[in-house]
Structures are given as structure tokens and as C-alpha cells.
Amino acid sequence: MQAAICLRFTPEAAKTVGLKIATAEEPFMSAPDEEKLLETKTGWKQNPEAVRMDIIKVATEEFALNGLSGARVNEIAAKTKTSKRMIYYYFGDKDGLYQQVLVEAYREVREGEGELDLEHLAPLAALKKLVEFTFDHHRRNPDFIRLVMIENIHHGDYMKHAPLIQALNQPVIERLERIYARGLEEKLFREGITALELHWQISALSFFNVSNQTTFSLSFGKRLFTKTGQAALKQQVVHMVLRFVLRPEWIEQSLETKIRA
């Protein structure tokens, strides 16, 4: 059996042979780096979900800004209290991280819809509230719009392998079905509209407002994207959707009066 050999070097001897050793004056890692590493390890052990969501938040911004191919895991790690190795521990690889970013983006908007408590509102008021929420959510979350655009560029390849996204999205259709059914029962809504078509209309009007803001502004000016312009557009989108579903005899009546009823 071979005996283990332990070599000891003084700092001067180590420099002679080209080795670096840690000393009090010149440690391997600076004090701030040591503190960051300790904070990362402590945070991961004490609150792993918080670390995971911090990674998701930063990754959302990176993917939305640079796309799937342009985003760098090293950059994401540098902006979080973690490491590249920890990111791979949580998400497997870059594709897995991107897919989870998509899941969380859709989860956020659907959970927001679920908190609106639409079941206790009259059908027209419920539809108005849902349209307003969608318009405001998309306007305040441009990263969500960019992620959806990026996924469309990739032909939905990552959504195809994330059945959770389909499950997350289904409740909005079911919610609209219930609102529409109640409107039909009250003879307020016209027949022949599906909840899926209605969701498409709401999404299209709210999505374009963000997705094409830059090119639209360059072509026609920024007037519609000021605070006043956005408030006017929001009201117009609400009225467009409500007029789309209303029976003809209700269209000429005051929408605001009927909504408050």
C-alpha cells in the first residue's frame, strides 16, 4: 500500500513553483465573494422556493430581452443569489429553465383572473372586469407579451412539451362560458358566440397594444401610448367587446348604466 504524501509550502516556496495558496493577506476568495457564497448556500437551504422564484424572475427578463438563443445562463446566474450549477439543479438545462419561465408567466395571468371573483357579478359587469384586467395585465407586463411572441417564433415547440400550460389556460375559457351562459339566460347576450372566440377577441385587442407599440409609435406617434391615450384605448376595448356580445336592442342603451345594474 502506498503511503499518502503531504506537501507543505510556504508562500514564498509556492510562488517559486507557480502554485497559489490561500493566506490571510491573499485568500482564494475575496470577503464579498465569501459572503455572497454563504448567503447563497444559506438561502438555498432555508428557502429553496424563494431562490427558485428569484431565478425565474431574472430569467424571465433575460429571455424576454434576448430571446431563447440570446439569453445566457451565466448572465442569469450573475444577476441572482445563486450559481449556474444551482440553476441546472433546479431546471435541468437552459431549455428547461425557459419552459418553466413560460409556465410561470401563464400561471401569473391565470391566477390574476381567478382572483377577480367574477361569479358574483352580473354577466356584463363580469365581462367588463375581465377585459379591463386583461388589458391592464398585458400593458403592465410587456415581458409576458414578448415571451409569447418568442414562443410563436419557435412554433410552440416548448409549449407542446408543457401540458401544465394548457391546464393553466383552460379555466379562462370555462370562466367565459359561465359568464356568457348567464348573459344568454338574462337575454342580454346574443346567441352564436363561443367562449373561445370571445377570449380571442379580448386577447387580440390587449395583445396588439403591447406587441406592436414600438412600430406603431414610430409610424404614427406616441399619442395612444401616453397615460391619457391608454385610458381611452382601455375604455374603447371594453366597449368593443361588450357591444360584440350584446343583443341589438341593448346596444343603443347606456353601457355604463347597464354594467352598474
Side-chain angles (χ1 to χ4, degrees), residues 151-246:
E151 185 58 12
N152 275 282
I153 291 173
H154 289 282
H155 307 289
D157 288 341
Y158 293 85
M159 282 187 67
K160 292 174 186 175
H161 298 94
L164 180 56
I165 294 179
Q166 285 85 345
L168 288 169
N169 285 333
Q170 189 57 35
V172 68
I173 304 301
E174 297 170 353
R175 202 167 283 121
L176 278 168
E177 286 175 342
R178 292 192 293 271
I179 294 172
Y180 181 62
R182 290 192 284 123
L184 288 177
E185 290 176 5
E186 296 183 15
K187 300 191 182 302
L188 184 64
F189 293 168
R190 65 185 179 89
E191 297 181 353
I193 304 172
T194 68
L196 187 61
E197 292 167 343
L198 194 53
H199 177 61
W200 188 95
Q201 299 284 354
I202 297 168
S203 296
L205 291 167
S206 302
F207 195 96
F208 181 91
N209 182 55
V210 182
S211 66
N212 288 49
Q213 177 178 340
T214 300
T215 53
F216 199 95
S217 297
L218 290 172
S219 297
F220 307 109
K222 298 181 178 180
R223 181 172 58 86
L224 293 182
F225 301 99
T226 62
K227 184 177 181 180
T228 301
Q230 286 290 285
L233 279 180
K234 176 181 172 180
Q235 183 180 39
Q236 291 166 12
V237 168
V238 168
H239 283 195
M240 289 169 69
V241 173
L242 298 187
R243 291 175 191 276
F244 173 68
V245 301
L246 281 171

Side-chain angles (χ1 to χ4, degrees), residues 15-31:
K15 289 180 180 179
T16 302
V17 295
L19 294 177
K20 177 176 174 59
I21 64 173
T23 66
E25 294 76 18
E26 190 178 2
F28 282 127
M29 188 178 297
S30 66

Side-chain angles (χ1 to χ4, degrees), residues 23-83:
T23 66
E25 294 76 18
E26 190 178 2
F28 282 127
M29 188 178 297
S30 66
D33 287 340
E34 286 181 332
E35 291 177 3
K36 184 176 180 181
L37 180 60
L38 179 59
E39 184 179 352
T40 298
K41 289 182 177 180
T42 303
W44 175 69
K45 291 179 180 179
Q46 292 182 349
N47 197 344
E49 183 59 21
V51 173
R52 178 180 173 277
M53 293 311 298
D54 182 45
I55 296 170
I56 290 288
K57 179 180 180 296
V58 173
T60 297
E61 297 169 355
E62 287 297 310
F63 285 126
L65 180 64
N66 300 304
L68 176 57
S69 60
R72 296 288 180 266
V73 176
N74 282 332
E75 186 69 17
I76 294 170
K79 294 180 179 180
T80 60
K81 296 178 179 180
T82 184
S83 64

